[in-house]
Every structure is written in structure tokens, then in C-alpha cells.
Amino acid sequence: EAGVVQSPRYKIIEKKQPVAFWCNPISGHNTLYWYRQNLGQGPELLIRYENEEAVDDSQLPKDRFSAERLKGVDSTLKIQPAELGDSAVYLCASSLRGESEAFFGQGTRLTVV
Amino acid sequence: GNSVTQMEGPVTLSEEAFLTINCTYTATGYPSLFWYVQYPGEGLQLLLKATKADDKGSNKGFEATYRKETTSFHLEKGSVQVSDSAVYFCALHNTNAGKSTFGDGTTLTVKP
């Protein structure tokens, strides 16, 4: 069974440019998470979806970040415009509804120059 | 709020040495506790978990026991291998909130 798939693996952009990350969760997993992992730190939750509904986006900087999960499967996280401080690894994870164990993708390493 | 504090690294050991990585937490309610491992260039992988007090999680020779009285979930392995070199993250999952809180990670390097 395929795991959580993210693309791209790496992205380098200039500040003020837009960028988007894509995630395909494990088939059948209702819950999808986007985390941001700064260098030397643990992941921090940005947004959590239950199917297509964003049930926790309290940590998402809504002035520049947006996310969607159309049809409750794939998800896209967008940053517009990007700032230098957005450089980080963006991790997607999924789980079955109500389960505590999450499965992570390999992440997208974003570098803003 | 919820928080996880784990031993600062980096930790460098010789092969076959004993490993302990300390982890303590603060949480409301009764969270599940996890250790994740992140190998270079890869995402986080679940290493082991425990869902209630006094449970012991184990996998690949690693163990951790959920200690409610000391709010701890220390990771141990009796004999580490070079292939265990990675970053280890302690985490808790609050079922009511539906989200996990991670520690900052501990980098382990095992030398032959």
C-alpha cells in the first residue's frame, strides 16, 4: 500500500513569490494534517481536515497561507506571498478518523531566498 | 496547554552502547504517547506508542513506558547500532483536541 505522497520534495523560490505543496494521503484516511517543521524543531500543526472540512486551522497564518482539500482526498497548501521565515519542511500526514497514529509523508523542503 | 520536553542532543554513542532519551510531557486529559524516528531525508516514522498509563511500547529493540506519575515516556535501547542514527521525536496525541504535540527532537549518532 502506498504511503502519504507529497510533492515536490524540494522547492526554492524568491521571497514574495507564491508556492504550493500537494499531498495525497493514504487511501481511506479521513483525517489529513499539514505540519511545518523548522530546522532543529519538531513539527507544528498548521491545519487539520476531517474529510473536506478544516476542523482546526487556528495555527494557520491566514494572511498568507491557504489550504484546501477538495473531495476529501488530496490536499494543497499554498503560501502567497512567501517570506524568508517560511523556509521550513512542510509535512503532510494522514490517519483514520479518531485514530491517534498518523502516517507522514517525506515532506517538502521549502527554501525562500 | 500541551507540551513535550525531550533531552537535548546531539547524543553520540558507540555501537552496542545503552541508549536513553528522556521525554516528559504536560497535557490535559489522558493523551497517547509516541516516539517517532526521522532518518536523513525522510519523513517521520512511528517507532512505538503507548495509549494508557503503565503501557510499554516496543519495536526494533526500543522500549518506552508510559509513566503517568512522573509524566514521562523515556526511550531506551539496550544495544544501539550504526543504523539507529537518526532524529527521535517524542510526541503526545490529545484525542479531544484531535492533534499531536511534538518535542524538538534528539539527534542520535552511533559510531562503529
Side-chain angles (χ1 to χ4, degrees):
Chain A
E1 179 182 342
V4 177
V5 178
Q6 291 187 245
S7 69
R9 288 293 312 277
Y10 305 93
K11 189 74 176 180
I12 301 175
I13 62 170
E14 294 183 343
K15 62 181 179 182
K16 301 185 182 180
Q17 295 302 305
V19 64
F21 315 124
W22 176 80
C23 172
N24 179 238
I26 292 173
S27 178
H29 281 194
N30 311 91
T31 306
L32 184 146
Y33 309 83
W34 282 103
Y35 287 90
R36 177 168 58 190
Q37 184 179 16
N38 293 315
L39 187 64
Q41 298 181 15
E44 295 180 328
L45 182 70
L46 291 173
I47 189 168
R48 173 170 67 97
Y49 282 93
E50 294 290 347
N51 296 315
E52 66 275 8
E53 182 183 2
V55 296
D56 183 356
D57 62 357
S58 57
Q59 301 303 308
L60 189 73
K62 298 180 184 63
D63 56 335
R64 298 183 300 106
F65 286 65
S66 65
E68 60 182 13
R69 191 184 184 197
L70 301 177
K71 300 182 182 179
V73 182
D74 294 0
S75 178
T76 303
L77 178 68
K78 298 179 181 178
I79 308 174
Q80 182 171 10
E83 298 179 351
L84 296 176
D86 296 331
S87 296
V89 176
Y90 291 83
L91 294 166
C92 179
S94 69
S95 68
L96 292 169
R97 188 198 307 273
E99 290 290 321
S100 56
E101 179 179 345
F103 295 82
F104 284 80
Q106 291 184 298
T108 296
R109 182 177 296 278
L110 173 67
T111 302
V112 182
V113 297
Chain B
N2 299 328
S3 67
V4 175
T5 302
Q6 59 182 105
M7 189 170 93
E8 287 190 23
V11 175
T12 302
L13 296 173
S14 297
E15 206 165 23
E16 300 184 0
F18 183 85
L19 168 72
T20 299
I21 301 177
N22 291 337
C23 172
T24 58
Y25 67 91
T26 58
T28 55
Y30 302 96
S32 296
L33 301 176
F34 300 84
W35 277 100
Y36 285 87
V37 58
Q38 187 173 35
Y39 298 103
E42 299 186 14
L44 278 71
Q45 302 174 25
L46 179 67
L47 180 60
L48 53 85
K49 68 178 181 181
T51 58
K52 62 183 186 296
D54 299 326
D55 269 2
K56 177 186 285 187
S58 61
N59 186 27
K60 300 180 181 179
F62 291 89
E63 294 183 339
T65 300
Y66 190 144
R67 301 289 188 196
K68 189 171 185 294
E69 64 276 13
T70 55
T71 61
S72 65
F73 193 55
H74 304 322
L75 182 68
E76 296 182 338
K77 186 174 185 181
S79 176
V80 293
Q81 305 301 311
V82 173
S83 58
D84 293 327
S85 298
V87 182
Y88 293 82
F89 291 92
C90 184
L92 67 84
H93 185 86
N94 186 306
T95 302
N96 289 339
K99 64 182 181 182
S100 295
T101 301
F102 290 80
D104 284 339
T106 301
T107 300
L108 171 66
T109 301
V110 180
K111 296 188 174 182

